[in-house]
Amino acid sequence: MRKILQRIDDQAPLDFTEFMALALYDPKLGYYARHTRQIGRNGDFFTSVSTGPLFGELLAQRFIRHWHEIGKPQRWRVIEAGAHDGTLACDILTAIQKISPQAAVCLEYAIAEPIESLRSAQATKLASFASSIRLVSDALELADDRLPGIAFGNEVLDALPFHLVERRDHSWRELLVSHDADGLLTWVSRGITNPELNHALTFLGENFADAHRAEIRTNFENFLKPLSAALVQGLMIWIDYGFASTDLHHPLRHSGTLRTFYRHRADDDPLTDPGEKDITAHVDFSDVARTAMKLGGKAIEFHNQGAWLTEIGRDWLTSREGNLTTSEARQFQTLTHPAQLGGKFQVLEISWNPQAAPKDAASLARRLFPDESAPHQVND
Ligand SMILES: C[S@@+](CC[C@H](N)C(=O)[O-])C[C@H]1O[C@@H](n2cnc3c(N)ncnc32)[C@H](O)[C@@H]1O
């Protein structure tokens, strides 16, 4: 906390991306850097990974299908971002070895992890897969040896720092973090000075009431670029809560989607107890897709998690018909039911493979860019 107050004194009020980077990722103060207890029953929140190994097994099915689609290359790579303590990586690697030993022997499973304490937790968890694993602090380290394959992350985009904006007198203002005389963190606001933020706000339109709040990320390009540079004809899969732009930035979503999580309780006050709780906001998937297009990719799937997992698990479900264990049936239900995780999360697939195309390009464009009369090209 002292570090945040000091930074404010040195630098004037912090924009919310700077505050969030300190509160979540600073090596000493940061919520994600200090320990790995956040996820699960004894932590602060659940993710799909917490339901059990089936989530990883279904992802493994999709990854192996991609390996087949690109001609079973002799070397291929999966890059996971936001791998936390390595549990999902462990589930996926176990499943790939079981389903396709041939794909497993030529796989490099890379984890791009900027936080040193998490890299060391991952190395411990994945010790038995040491010959297939590569831990890097930045995906750029992989760009010298580009390989065909996949980059993906579960609930990582929502953890990327965002700007906070608020509507005042028919224009947007940015909310910044300052402190009062007693050292308590407070909000202050200023007109928009950041050119990237200003540009992003042009996509929102003007139809918002006073005090409407929204969260805007301007860092998708920085995040996606090194990952795309590490792959040849790559596929990216992003799983998270969020919407297309027009649904996320709807005039009726008056107070935005910022949430904090501590011991399975949500609130919307990130300024209390920084470093002790998670800070998150929904993902603008139209923006992710637009950014990927700028980098040469194209969206090929955008579905809720329930529909997507059911589709990628179709062969597995058919082969196991009538033989699912109680635990597998429970996990599948939790992951896919529309009232549970199946409806809560969305999945966006983006491809850099010229041969890849969406099944129904018009419907995909309507879901990703619902308000645009001349939709973005998704299947050129
Ligand atoms: C909500 S956790 C998700 C963990 C895990 N994927 C799961 O589903 O259980 C978000 C993770 O994203 C990581 N993260 C945030 N920004 C990142 C970045 N730029 N590169 C890689 N990981 C990042 C955080 O450190 C954190 O471990």
Side-chain angles (χ1 to χ4, degrees):
M1 178 70 168
R2 229 178 311 127
K3 188 161 183 176
I4 295 180
L5 299 177
Q6 188 64 51
R7 186 73 76 82
I8 292 169
D9 288 339
D10 292 349
Q11 208 180 307
L14 301 177
D15 75 41
F16 198 71
T17 64
E18 295 167 306
F19 170 77
M20 202 171 153
L22 286 170
L24 294 188
Y25 305 117
D26 179 78
K28 290 218 169 67
L29 165 75
Y31 172 78
Y32 279 112
R34 289 198 349 249
H35 58 80
T36 54
R37 293 191 310 272
Q38 298 89 353
I39 301 173
R41 197 171 301 283
N42 298 319
D44 299 323
F45 54 89
F46 291 113
T47 69
S48 293
V49 182
S50 326
T51 60
L54 182 63
F55 183 60
E57 185 162 346
L58 292 171
L59 286 174
Q61 305 271 358
R62 175 67 184 100
F63 296 172
I64 293 167
R65 194 178 96 203
H66 180 70
W67 181 66
H68 281 267
E69 282 164 359
I70 57 175
K72 301 202 231 173
Q74 284 306 296
R75 286 180 70 215
W76 66 304
R77 168 181 287 151
V78 169
I79 313 171
E80 182 176 356
H84 199 245
D85 67 355
T87 301
L88 180 57
C90 188
D91 295 341
I92 292 171
L93 282 158
T94 306
I96 293 181
Q97 281 185 350
K98 187 178 82 182
I99 302 163
S100 174
Q102 207 197 345
V105 286
C106 50
L107 170 66
E108 175 189 282
Y109 195 104
I111 295 181
E113 177 56 69
I115 300 177
E116 197 181 337
S117 56
L118 289 181
R119 279 202 303 282
S120 115
Q122 291 154 6
T124 307
K125 179 97 180 177
L126 297 166
S128 60
F129 297 102
S131 58
S132 313
I133 290 288
R134 186 156 167 203
L135 300 178
V136 294
S137 59
D138 189 317
L140 266 185
E141 293 169 48
L142 306 167
D144 285 347
D145 175 27
R146 300 179 76 205
L147 287 177
I150 295 159
F152 83 103
N154 183 57
E155 288 202 51
V156 56
L157 298 183
D158 73 274
L160 297 180
F162 46 83
H163 293 274
L164 264 182
V165 294
E166 188 171 81
R167 199 74 177 161
R168 285 275 165 225
D169 301 327
H170 308 291
S171 60
W172 291 108
R173 293 183 67 78
E174 181 165 13
L175 294 180
L176 311 174
V177 180
S178 187
H179 69 77
D180 65 14
D182 298 324
L184 289 176
L185 296 176
T186 53
W187 295 112
V188 292
S189 82
R190 71 166 177 221
I192 308 296
T193 56
N194 178 318
E196 289 176 328
L197 178 58
N198 205 24
H199 176 70
L201 287 168
T202 59
F203 290 94
L204 265 60
E206 297 293 322
N207 188 20
F208 297 94
D210 246 26
H212 184 105
R213 279 195 183 186
E215 304 83 20
I216 309 285
R217 292 187 176 84
T218 53
N219 43 16
F220 286 138
E221 185 167 345
N222 281 348
F223 179 74
L224 296 180
K225 207 172 182 173
L227 294 165
S228 71
L231 297 172
V232 185
Q233 298 189 359
L235 173 70
M236 286 192 190
I237 301 175
W238 300 111
I239 308 167
D240 228 306
Y241 35 90
F243 302 106
S245 287
T246 30
D247 298 337
L248 180 61
H249 299 301
H250 193 282
L252 292 179
R253 209 180 292 285
H254 191 60
S255 49
T257 62
L258 186 155
R259 290 287 174 277
T260 68
F261 286 93
Y262 178 71
R263 302 273 150 91
H264 297 276
R265 277 201 315 273
D267 74 48
D268 57 5
D269 174 16
L271 301 192
T272 311
D273 300 327
E276 295 300 324
K277 49 192 187 180
D278 192 20
I279 305 173
T280 161
H282 281 41
V283 173
D284 179 341
F285 279 102
S286 314
D287 196 15
V288 179
R290 249 187 246 114
T291 306
M293 285 180 225
K294 226 169 113 184
L295 297 171
K298 63 191 163 197
I300 58 168
E301 277 281 10
F302 180 52
H303 272 302
N304 70 40
Q305 173 169 296
W308 186 76
L309 285 179
T310 306
E311 175 61 29
I312 66 171
R314 197 170 294 287
D315 291 346
W316 171 81
L317 277 171
T318 312
S319 71
R320 301 294 309 274
E321 210 169 353
N323 287 316
L324 288 188
T325 63
T326 314
S327 165
E328 284 171 334
R330 179 190 50 76
Q331 290 175 57
F332 191 74
Q333 165 86 2
T334 308
L335 291 168
T336 58
H337 194 285
Q340 301 186 47
L341 304 183
K344 185 171 168 188
F345 297 110
Q346 306 292 322
V347 184
L348 175 66
E349 288 193 9
I350 305 156
S351 177
W352 273 256
N353 178 355
Q355 263 84 56
K359 279 201 191 89
D360 181 345
S363 146
L364 177 65
R366 269 197 306 279
R367 277 177 282 128
L368 259 181
F369 307 107
D371 64 330
E372 296 179 22
S373 49
H376 284 251
Q377 204 67 16
V378 289
N379 69 333
D380 45 291

